[in-house]
Amino acid sequence: MLFAAERLMTSCHLSIDLVIGDVAITQGKSYWACCVDPSSYLVKVGVGLESKLQEWFQVPQDVVSPRYDPDSGHDSGAEDTTVEAPPPYAFLTIGMGKILLSHGSALTSRDPNGCTVPLPPRIGICLDYEQGKVSFYDAVSFRELWECGVDCSGPVCPAFCFIGGGALHLQELVAHKQERKVTIGNFAKLD
């Protein structure tokens, strides 16, 4: 089932709920973490170009079906001249207490096939906006799970997709957390 998760996004009739973060990232590096309930059916954790996430969520399911082919039907060669751009979103797929890792990327997996790893207690997501790169970590051991490019030509938002039900606990953005200085007598305390 995990291997079919990418196709599941566009060809199933399960309930799909997309949650887009209310904070758009437009510069710098940002890091946050979340805990995914291991009993969740399928959860996708990641980031996406704000405009494309909203567009994706509003597109009717039959348009994004594998049966729909946006190809013009002729071999003009026009499709071959496009430069490969980074994808508008990047998601890590989680289900049944495991993480599905994409083939063909540099992974640090203990699985000899490089396909799945056990779900850690917390997953960290680090977005480097200027580099157009997102990295996913085991937020307990800080071991990198997966890294990929993402389109950062506009505001990028954290995004979470629940397929068939699931739950997660989001920890607040760590990189954007401001320290508050409180003075007590001659001592300063940082919260």
Side-chain angles (χ1 to χ4, degrees), residues 170-181:
L170 179 64
Q171 297 178 343
E172 80 180 88
L173 290 170
V174 176
H176 291 278
K177 186 175 180 183
Q178 303 259 338
E179 289 187 337
R180 193 173 49 135
K181 186 175 180 181

Side-chain angles (χ1 to χ4, degrees), residues 91-104:
F91 287 103
L92 194 62
T93 303
I94 301 159
M96 301 179 292
K98 295 187 182 232
I99 297 174
L100 175 67
L101 300 171
S102 296
H103 291 287

Side-chain angles (χ1 to χ4, degrees), residues 28-47:
K29 293 181 182 178
S30 299
Y31 177 85
W32 61 95
C34 64
C35 303
V36 176
D37 185 338
S39 66
S40 297
Y41 188 66
L42 277 178
V43 176
K44 287 186 164 278
V45 175
V47 298

Side-chain angles (χ1 to χ4, degrees), residues 112-175:
N113 297 325
C115 296
T116 62
V117 294
L119 176 65
R122 280 192 331 257
I123 295 173
I125 300 109
C126 182
L127 173 67
D128 186 333
Y129 189 87
E130 281 74 23
Q131 295 292 317
K133 179 175 69 172
V134 63
S135 303
F136 298 90
Y137 293 90
D138 173 334
V140 175
S141 69
F142 292 103
R143 181 176 57 95
E144 186 175 275
L145 298 168
W146 184 51
E147 180 180 282
C148 67
V150 67
D151 184 354
C152 290
S153 60
V156 176
C157 295
F160 310 93
C161 185
F162 300 91
I163 304 168
L168 69 80
H169 173 74
L170 179 64
Q171 297 178 343
E172 80 180 88
L173 290 170
V174 176

